Amino acid sequence: MTTALPHIQSYHAHIYYDPAGPSKDEAARLRAAMGERYAVQMGRWHDVPVGPHAGAMYQVAFATDLFADLVPWLLLARGSLTVLVHPNTGTPRADHMQHALWLGQVLPLKAETLPEHEAPEDIPPIVPNTTPAQPR
Ligand code: ZN
């Protein structure tokens, strides 16, 4: 017998970089290339760590139907950047700590900042703010 798995409402990709190093330029190039190809909700730059993230990063929120396209693209396009991909299922701690996918180095996360549960209505809908013009 299998237990029903939680429903994935959306995904985040967190792109990590060093705010004082060349990886910020690499992160900027990846951000531009992604925005040219995919309708995603591009978050702002966080040069100072926020929430569970121990390093600088920006967040990319995307709908489930983009996963099979966007994640393989990130595998190849990320260069030397570390990327955390996690689902949003209403269980933030498990989504980050157990159900996550790391591209590159696995970085520490502050699990204690993540609630165990969040209400489905608290998971914001994806509102793309990029205007893809390039072929994938
Ligand atoms: Zn996230």
Side-chain angles (χ1 to χ4, degrees):
M1 206 176 104
T2 55
T3 310
L5 294 172
H7 174 68
I8 296 176
Q9 297 198 23
S10 62
Y11 290 97
H12 289 170
H14 294 272
I15 317 296
Y16 290 89
Y17 59 90
D18 174 358
S23 66
K24 187 165 185 182
D25 294 335
E26 199 177 354
R29 286 192 295 273
L30 183 69
R31 184 183 174 93
M34 202 178 339
E36 285 169 1
R37 286 167 179 80
Y38 297 100
V40 296
Q41 187 176 322
M42 197 67 79
R44 59 192 183 83
W45 296 88
H46 292 282
D47 282 354
V48 175
V50 290
H53 306 283
M57 61 84 205
Y58 61 84
Q59 172 189 281
V60 185
F62 59 98
T64 55
D65 63 356
L66 270 189
F67 185 93
D69 243 316
L70 178 54
V71 175
W73 183 83
L74 280 170
L75 290 173
L76 302 179
R78 70 175 182 86
S80 63
L81 299 169
T82 290
V83 179
L84 164 66
V85 179
H86 71 79
N88 294 309
T89 71
T91 57
R93 192 174 303 165
D95 288 345
H96 289 76
M97 305 309 295
Q98 284 150 42
H99 306 146
L101 180 65
W102 287 92
L103 316 185
Q105 210 187 339
V106 177
L107 301 177
L109 288 170
K110 299 171 202 162
E112 68 280 4
T113 68
L114 294 162
E116 220 166 306
H117 295 283
E118 70 185 334
E121 59 270 24
D122 289 341
I123 301 177
I126 305 297
V127 182
N129 58 2
T130 55
T131 45
Q134 295 289 318
R136 292 174 193 169

